[in-house]
């Protein structure tokens, strides 16, 4: 392999941008966890898998934030610790993202029932494999300073290791590339199955079109299924590009735009999931707004008074739209 180029210098505006992305991802992942804890009726299996993905993204955002803040210049104990945490959480995030796609494929396309066995398998793979890789990398002293050529200030695989390419692949890149290939295929198959189901029900469409929220819900679900692999690839592709540029010892690896896109792409996965599955999901968004309004009302000093000076007994507001949506919950509304 040709000699490595000089370390990539991080400018203050680059660090601030990536730190902001880390903070937003941390808040977004935290919000996903909170919504799961607040409303037990929304704890469907897809959202349960999304919870574990959010936990991985939460740890990933926190570890990346510390790494970018420190902007390591050499291997140290906290560099190794941060690199180990980010390696474990980032790799786990890949596995949980693919687990969600596999679950949707099994339930929607295959129509196979799923039980606790599949969930246990997802846990064993999505936590076990990243943990095994991380422990081995730390024990063999493969994690350390990487000159920000394959990162944005944080530590990952030490560029001085002779077998660094192998460990870069094991510690993330091979799973990242596999996700690029597997996710689009699974979601294309799911989309084709949905289209065939719609075509089979075409003769009943005039009746179903008069059913409340029938057409909007299915179209929103379809759009979300398409967006999942697109957003994942768009966020992650920049780190893959810099990885190959580093292997080629190309000076383009230090391009400021690539550095920022890499930093945002690696750290904003939790924020993107929050946008899709909280802010763009009507069930969760409506409940979240109702919860915030309720908290604001409870924080007021006293209830309103009538003209006689007595407190009015206000009736709790019933959101009929939320009740209707709750009765119509399905796999699509959960995603």
């Amino acid at each position: 392999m040709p000699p490595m180029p000089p370390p990539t210098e991080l400018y203050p505006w680059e660090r601030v941008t990536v730190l902001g992305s880390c903070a937003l991802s941390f808040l977004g992942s935290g919000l996903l966890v909170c919504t799961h804890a607040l409303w037990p009726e929304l704890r469907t299996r897809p959202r349960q898998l999304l919870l574990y993905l959010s936990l991985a993204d939460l740890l990933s955002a926190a570890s990346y934030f510390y790494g970018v803040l420190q902007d390591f210049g050499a291997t140290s104990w906290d560099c190794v610790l941060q690199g180990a945490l980010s390696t474990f959480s980032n790799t786990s995030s890949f596995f949980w993202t693919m687990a969600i796609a596999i679950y949707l494929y099994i339930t929607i396309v295959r129509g196979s029932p799923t039980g606790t066995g599949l969930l246990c398998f997802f846990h064993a793979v999505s936590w076990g494999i990243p943990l095994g890789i991380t422990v081995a990398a730390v024990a063999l002293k493969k994690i350390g300073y990487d000159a920000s050529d394959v990162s944005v200030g944080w530590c990952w695989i030490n560029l001085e290791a002779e077998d660094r390419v192998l460990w870069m692949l094991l510690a993330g890149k091979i799973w990242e590339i596999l996700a690029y290939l597997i996710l689009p295929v699974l979601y294309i198959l799911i989309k084709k199955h949905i289209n065939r189901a719609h075509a089979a029900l075409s003769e009943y469409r005039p009746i179903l079109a008069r059913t409340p929220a029938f057409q909007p819900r299915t179209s929103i679900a379809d759009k979300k299924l398409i967006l999942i692999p697109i957003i994942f690839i768009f966020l992650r592709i920049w780190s893959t590009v810099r990885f190959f540029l580093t292997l080629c010892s190309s000076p383009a690896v230090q391009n400021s735009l690539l550095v920022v896109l890499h930093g945002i792409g690696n750290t904003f996965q939790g924020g993107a999931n929050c946008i899709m599955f909280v802010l763009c999901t009507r069930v969760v968004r409506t409940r979240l707004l109702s919860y915030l309004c309720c908290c604001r009302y409870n924080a007021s000093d006293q209830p309103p008074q009538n003209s006689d000076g007595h407190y009015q007994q206000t009736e709790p507001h019933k959101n009929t739209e939320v009740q209707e949506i709750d009765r119509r919950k399905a796999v699509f509304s959960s995603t």
Side-chain angles (χ1 to χ4, degrees), residues 4-24:
M4 304 305 299
T8 299
E9 180 183 358
L10 291 184
Y11 299 103
W13 69 272
E14 294 174 341
R15 294 178 62 190
V16 170
T17 303
V18 179
L19 286 172
S21 176
C22 292
L24 291 175

Side-chain angles (χ1 to χ4, degrees), residues 58-68 81-82 85-87 89 154:
L58 196 71
L59 179 59
S60 179
S63 61
Y64 280 142
F65 185 91
Y66 181 80
V68 178
L81 177 61
Q82 178 271 310
L85 290 176
S86 62
T87 298
S89 56
W154 58 78

Side-chain angles (χ1 to χ4, degrees), residues 14-317:
E14 294 174 341
R15 294 178 62 190
V16 170
T17 303
V18 179
L19 286 172
S21 176
C22 292
L24 291 175
S25 184
F26 186 88
L27 293 175
S29 299
L31 187 57
L32 279 165
V33 174
C34 289
T35 56
H36 188 87
L38 284 174
W39 299 299
E41 62 273 17
L42 296 181
R43 295 174 190 172
T44 56
R45 184 54 57 86
R47 284 199 166 268
Q48 190 176 1
L49 298 177
L50 181 63
L51 170 67
Y52 304 130
L53 172 62
S54 300
L55 292 175
D57 289 333
L58 196 71
L59 179 59
S60 179
S63 61
Y64 280 142
F65 185 91
Y66 181 80
V68 178
L69 192 64
Q70 290 292 103
D71 190 13
F72 294 104
T75 300
S76 58
W77 70 268
D78 54 342
C79 167
V80 174
L81 177 61
Q82 178 271 310
L85 290 176
S86 62
T87 298
F88 168 75
S89 56
N90 197 43
T91 308
S92 180
S93 178
F94 293 151
F95 280 101
W96 281 116
T97 302
M98 289 192 286
I100 293 174
I102 292 170
Y103 175 84
L104 292 177
Y105 174 79
I106 292 174
T107 55
I108 296 175
V109 179
R110 294 297 182 183
S112 303
T114 58
T116 56
L118 182 62
L119 181 61
C120 292
F121 172 77
F122 285 154
H123 276 294
V125 172
S126 301
W127 298 125
I129 293 179
L131 181 61
I133 292 173
T134 303
V135 170
V138 172
L140 296 174
K141 298 182 179 180
K142 303 300 180 180
I143 294 180
Y145 175 61
D146 58 11
S148 292
D149 289 342
V150 284
S151 71
V152 186
W154 58 78
C155 288
W156 190 37
I157 301 300
N158 195 332
L159 290 185
E160 295 181 356
E162 293 183 0
D163 51 354
R164 56 185 175 273
V165 176
L166 172 63
W167 281 100
M168 286 179 186
L169 291 172
L170 288 175
K173 291 307 169 186
I174 188 65
W175 316 114
E176 190 175 66
I177 294 171
L178 284 176
Y180 294 155
L181 302 176
I182 295 174
L183 287 178
V185 171
L186 290 177
Y187 283 108
I188 287 172
L189 293 174
I190 294 172
K191 186 67 169 62
K192 285 184 176 180
H193 180 82
I194 294 172
N195 290 338
R196 285 196 298 266
H198 286 178
L201 293 173
S202 59
E203 58 180 301
Y204 301 105
R205 195 171 297 278
I207 299 174
L208 293 173
R210 294 195 294 270
T211 304
F214 170 75
Q215 183 62 33
R217 285 168 57 78
T218 53
S219 61
I220 289 173
D222 293 354
K223 290 177 182 178
K224 261 188 212 178
L225 291 176
I226 296 172
L227 285 175
I228 289 173
I230 292 177
I231 291 177
F232 177 85
I233 293 174
F234 177 78
L235 288 176
R236 294 290 181 173
I237 193 65
W238 313 110
S239 65
T240 307
V241 170
R242 291 192 75 215
F243 166 69
F244 284 112
L245 290 175
T246 300
L247 296 185
C248 299
S249 299
S250 171
V253 75
Q254 301 181 358
N255 181 275
S256 293
L257 180 59
L258 270 181
V259 171
V260 171
L261 289 174
H262 179 186
I264 294 176
N266 268 43
T267 59
F268 194 65
Q269 189 67 50
N273 290 337
C274 178
I275 292 173
M276 280 196 297
F277 299 110
V278 174
L279 303 183
C280 293
T281 300
R282 187 171 58 179
V283 176
V284 184
R285 184 178 66 247
T286 304
R287 285 174 176 262
L288 185 61
L289 291 175
S290 300
Y291 178 79
L292 293 176
C293 291
C294 229
C295 290
R296 186 172 58 181
Y297 173 78
N298 291 336
S300 61
D301 294 335
Q302 56 186 10
Q305 296 179 345
N306 57 23
S307 58
D308 297 330
H310 297 90
Y311 294 127
Q312 296 177 355
Q313 298 296 327
T314 57
E315 293 293 333
H317 176 68

